[in-house]
Amino acid sequence: LKWQKALQLLTSMAHNKVESNTIVFNAVISACTTGGSWHMALQLLHVMVQSRVEFDRITCNAAINACEKACEWKMALQLLVVMERCRVNKDVITLNASISALDKCGEWERAMQCFNVMEQNTIESDTITCSGLISACEKGGESGRALRLFSLAYQSKVEIGMATLEAA
């Protein structure tokens, strides 16, 4: 598996006293995310902190994406808090991954809170944002809210894809 090979490479770098940096860790965390090993992705983030390797938005986005794939919404939200504390700026990818994790787990109210964070930070929403919010509301039995979000997306000229139409 690709993520295991990436992890072996990281380990061999440490054994050979080759310094790892943010870019190397980001690549390995992304490989773990793609390979479905969310737990390892988060463990690597912890290793970064212990090793005093600076993490960035890309690191956090990859870790939140890993949480989203595993339906670990609580951990995804904890990573948002870590980003806030460490003054790592969030972007649309960060919040879309969080909204998607919340959507998968039926947490529509928290998904709406993430959307509020987007608005407060003037982060422009996109098709993925709208699809995730509409789907989360629909799963949460909030059909009326889902339709209002669909209408808002349409009025805001957000490109509406098939997934958004199906969610509404």
Side-chain angles (χ1 to χ4, degrees), residues 103-118:
D103 166 32
K104 282 185 177 180
C105 304
E107 295 290 329
W108 72 269
E109 291 173 290
R110 287 184 173 89
M112 291 301 297
Q113 289 171 354
C114 282
F115 180 63
N116 291 338
V117 169
M118 288 179 90

Side-chain angles (χ1 to χ4, degrees), residues 4 23 32 49 59 68 75-76 86 101 136-137 139 155:
Q4 290 172 330
I23 295 168
C32 290
V49 171
T59 314
E68 179 262 330
M75 187 60 68
C86 295
C137 288
K139 287 176 187 169
Q155 290 170 5

Side-chain angles (χ1 to χ4, degrees), residues 63-109:
I64 291 171
N65 195 24
C67 294
E68 179 262 330
K69 290 183 184 313
C71 201
E72 291 289 333
W73 65 269
K74 289 179 182 176
M75 187 60 68
L77 293 183
Q78 286 180 342
L79 287 168
L80 289 178
V81 171
V82 168
M83 289 178 78
E84 191 72 32
R85 282 190 197 143
C86 295
R87 294 181 173 25
V88 176
N89 291 328
K90 298 171 212 60
D91 63 5
V92 69
I93 295 168
T94 311
L95 293 161
N96 280 350
S98 301
I99 289 169
S100 186
L102 293 162
D103 166 32
K104 282 185 177 180
C105 304
E107 295 290 329
W108 72 269
E109 291 173 290

Side-chain angles (χ1 to χ4, degrees), residues 128-166:
I128 296 168
T129 312
C130 295
S131 294
L133 289 171
I134 290 167
S135 177
C137 288
E138 190 63 35
K139 287 176 187 169
E142 293 289 318
S143 301
R145 187 179 305 272
L147 288 172
R148 284 191 297 279
L149 285 166
F150 179 80
S151 177
L152 180 66
Y154 180 77
Q155 290 170 5
S156 301
K157 305 219 187 305
V158 171
E159 186 178 315
I160 299 172
M162 187 56 80
T164 308
L165 291 170
E166 289 172 357

